[in-house]
Amino acid sequence: QVQLVESGGGVVQPGKSLRLSCAASGFTFNIYAMHWVRQAPGKGLEWVALISYDGYNTYYGDSVRGRFTISRDNSKNTVFLQVNSLRSEDTAVYYCARAQSGSYRQPFDYWGQGALVTVSS
Amino acid sequence: EIVLTQSPGTLSLSPGERATLSCRASQSVSSSSLAWFQQKPGQPPRLLIYDASNRATGIPDRFSGSGSGTDFTLTISRLEPEDFAVYYCQQYDNSYTFGQGTKLEIK
């Protein structure tokens, strides 16, 4: 069965960096686009970033563009999110999610349990 | 950016009743690229409906989606106790945006 397991969350000071990982299993990872979505405590969902199935194309939400970088290692079935210059408003649970196929206009059909990132001094 | 506005913010109903949730887009969502998710406390979102009206794998047929253009609806025909949760709509036509959510609570 499809599984997505995030790791790398934690408490980090403002201005610092963190790298989140999402390990995938149960499907052919290298044919699916992958996303990161975040949810601040008690708030709604915000799309963060997308990476194409082959890793060549990436897209970002306006609030993170220039600070966050999405990447993937298809040999390890893992997608990453490098988060830099962290701000208090980046505090959230970060979910990785699978696109329903390799193309971009697809719903997010499987989600991980999420990794909590808390930005605090 | 396509803004999605969900209504009502909170819906109070009893098990066995019918629930109708609305999602309105600030501009037309082409190809009906709209999904509905259910989220329970401490859990990730779960895909219910995609392409406006297609049920995702394993979703009971009491859940149905309809609509096109700027107006979309999620209907739960007969509420079960496990259906009380927060529901989000999402468009994936032009980038990706979510509605603010509708909380479905037990009356």
Side-chain angles (χ1 to χ4, degrees):
Chain A
Q1 72 282 18
V2 173
Q3 276 200 308
L4 300 170
V5 179
E6 299 93 340
S7 60
V11 180
V12 60
Q13 293 178 329
K16 299 295 188 182
S17 300
L18 206 61
R19 190 195 201 199
L20 302 176
S21 301
C22 171
S25 60
F27 64 101
T28 305
F29 181 71
N30 62 10
I31 64 172
Y32 288 89
M34 296 294 295
H35 298 266
W36 286 96
V37 177
R38 68 183 181 181
Q39 186 170 35
K43 303 297 184 183
L45 300 164
E46 179 188 11
W47 174 72
V48 171
L50 157 69
I51 189 165
S52 61
Y53 68 95
D54 55 7
Y56 286 123
N57 295 293
T58 57
Y59 303 90
Y60 299 92
D62 290 343
S63 63
V64 307
R65 188 176 296 115
R67 297 189 300 124
F68 290 12
T69 302
I70 189 172
S71 61
R72 66 191 294 162
D73 184 342
N74 282 348
S75 69
K76 296 182 178 178
N77 288 358
T78 302
V79 60
F80 304 98
L81 187 68
Q82 178 69 38
V83 297
N84 298 331
S85 304
L86 282 162
R87 308 165 180 167
S88 58
E89 55 264 35
D90 296 319
T91 294
V93 174
Y94 285 74
Y95 296 103
C96 68
R98 190 186 83 165
Q100 203 173 47
S101 78
S103 67
Y104 302 156
R105 279 187 181 172
Q106 294 291 327
F108 304 179
D109 61 354
Y110 288 93
W111 297 60
Q113 289 296 312
L116 177 61
V117 174
T118 303
V119 183
S120 173
S121 55
Chain B
E1 173 180 300
I2 298 178
V3 176
L4 300 179
T5 302
Q6 292 186 239
S7 61
T10 302
L11 185 57
S12 300
L13 293 170
S14 300
E17 290 192 293
R18 180 185 187 92
T20 302
L21 287 67
S22 174
C23 177
R24 179 161 290 178
S26 60
Q27 60 193 79
S28 183
V29 176
S30 62
S31 304
S32 294
S33 298
L34 187 116
W36 289 93
F37 294 89
Q38 176 193 69
Q39 188 177 33
K40 297 179 180 178
Q43 296 185 18
R46 174 193 181 197
L47 178 65
L48 300 174
I49 301 289
Y50 66 95
D51 294 348
S53 61
N54 294 317
R55 268 189 302 277
T57 303
I59 302 303
D61 60 7
R62 64 180 182 274
F63 292 91
S64 63
S66 63
S68 64
T70 60
D71 289 295
F72 299 87
T73 300
L74 174 70
T75 301
I76 310 172
S77 61
R78 191 174 170 82
L79 286 166
E80 297 286 343
E82 62 267 28
D83 298 337
F84 293 91
V86 178
Y87 291 83
Y88 294 96
C89 59
Q90 181 215 18
Q91 66 81 22
Y92 43 94
D93 174 39
N94 183 343
S95 189
Y96 310 91
T97 52
F98 293 87
Q100 82 280 16
T102 289
K103 182 179 181 180
L104 178 57
E105 64 177 24
I106 299 177
K107 187 174 183 179

